[in-house]
Amino acid sequence: MFLNFLVLKVMLKGETDEARVKSVNGLMILVKIIVWVIGAVLVLDNMGYKVSAVVTGLGIGGIAVALAAQAVLGDLFSYISIMFDKPFMAGDYIVFDDVMGTVENIGIKTTRLRSVTGEQIIVSNSSLTGSRVKNFKRMVTRRGLFTLGITYGTPKTKLEKVPAIIEGIINGVPCTKFERSHFSSYGDSSLNFETVYFVEGNDYKKYMDIQQEIYMKIYEAFEKEGLEFAYPTQTLYVKK
């Protein structure tokens, strides 16, 4: 009873997901069976019965079962690891390898995800614990980066204004933090400026709305300053 209380207390601390609670309760049945078998063997041993043959049989049988169900046991231990470590929970949006989706259910053998295109993705728990998982639900800020190309021939005095213009626009948009804006490189057909900023929260739609607002304001500001966006061009010199 104490073991049952202790495990449930740790694994279900602050847990509200009903499916997760049921999974842990099902796992506890297996734990209880193992504990009762070990207890029964110890009681028989104390009563004077020769249990060495039973213990040997259980050992050999356990090895045989472990070899036969190696993949299943691997997923089971991975499930226990997920329960204790909690790298993700139901409702979290995660990405690993080439798979991405929202976690719907964490089972003893598999975890089920719902992809952005609607289909359900079922993956083994061992695949998840053996991969590098990105949990976007726990993202505090989202980083934005973009590069703008200005046409060659733009006066130096106008080029010097670009970082300040972009900084002023980003600082004027709520929930954003300006990081930097620099003249980063000479491109094949443009003078490139690289900008980095951060958006508070993990809402992707909010991030895209803010990005769109920034882009529109930059376009408007460049029109007023007479700054032209570059596009791929080639100059061909013909020698007569």
Side-chain angles (χ1 to χ4, degrees):
M1 292 295 294
F2 175 74
L3 178 63
N4 184 67
F5 170 78
L6 182 63
V7 173
L8 291 177
K9 184 77 173 176
V10 173
M11 297 181 75
L12 297 178
K13 184 179 180 181
E15 189 59 64
T16 57
D17 183 17
E18 185 178 347
R20 188 182 178 102
V21 174
K22 288 181 180 179
S23 296
V24 174
N25 286 328
L27 182 63
M28 285 308 303
I29 295 175
L30 179 61
V31 173
K32 288 178 182 179
I33 291 172
I34 295 172
V35 171
W36 276 106
V37 169
I38 295 173
V41 171
L42 292 174
V43 169
L44 290 173
D45 184 53
N46 289 329
M47 291 175 65
Y49 292 97
K50 292 183 178 181
V51 295
S52 57
V54 176
V55 173
T56 303
L58 288 173
I60 295 173
I63 293 172
V65 170
L67 290 173
Q70 193 172 17
V72 175
L73 290 174
D75 288 328
L76 175 61
F77 285 117
S78 294
Y79 169 76
I80 295 172
S81 175
I82 293 170
M83 288 293 106
F84 277 103
D85 195 41
K86 295 183 179 180
F88 53 83
M89 302 173 67
D92 290 1
Y93 185 84
I94 64 172
V95 176
F96 70 99
D97 297 335
D98 59 343
V99 179
M100 59 185 70
T102 303
V103 179
E104 287 192 332
N105 178 62
I106 305 170
I108 291 177
K109 188 179 188 308
T110 62
T111 294
R112 298 168 189 267
L113 311 175
R114 182 67 61 179
S115 75
V116 292
T117 52
E119 71 271 18
Q120 189 179 67
I121 304 172
I122 303 171
V123 295
S124 64
N125 291 329
S126 56
S127 296
L128 283 166
T129 54
S131 301
R132 183 175 298 174
V133 179
K134 296 180 181 179
N135 191 331
F136 284 86
K137 183 69 176 291
R138 298 177 188 178
M139 179 184 290
V140 179
T141 57
R142 189 183 291 270
R143 183 175 185 260
L145 182 149
F146 62 86
T147 300
L148 298 177
I150 309 299
T151 55
Y152 276 99
T154 302
K156 178 176 175 290
T157 53
K158 287 190 175 184
L159 288 177
E160 290 173 340
K161 294 180 181 179
V162 172
I165 291 172
I166 295 175
E167 180 178 0
I169 289 171
I170 292 176
N171 285 334
V173 177
C175 301
T176 62
K177 178 184 177 183
F178 175 80
E179 180 70 14
R180 63 177 178 82
S181 184
H182 293 97
F183 181 9
S184 59
S185 64
Y186 289 95
D188 292 336
S189 56
S190 63
L191 304 171
N192 298 324
F193 286 80
E194 184 179 80
T195 301
V196 176
Y197 66 99
F198 292 90
V199 176
E200 296 175 6
N202 57 22
D203 188 338
Y204 186 70
K205 182 180 182 298
K206 173 185 174 183
Y207 167 77
M208 291 301 296
D209 288 342
I210 287 175
Q211 179 178 272
Q212 177 177 260
E213 182 179 352
I214 291 171
Y215 286 179
M216 294 298 288
K217 287 184 175 180
I218 289 174
Y219 194 93
E220 182 182 356
F222 277 25
E223 275 191 333
K224 289 180 181 178
E225 290 291 334
L227 289 162
E228 295 183 4
F229 291 99
Y231 52 88
T233 57
Q234 288 184 334
T235 303
L236 187 63
Y237 294 94
V238 180
K239 186 177 180 181
K240 294 184 179 179

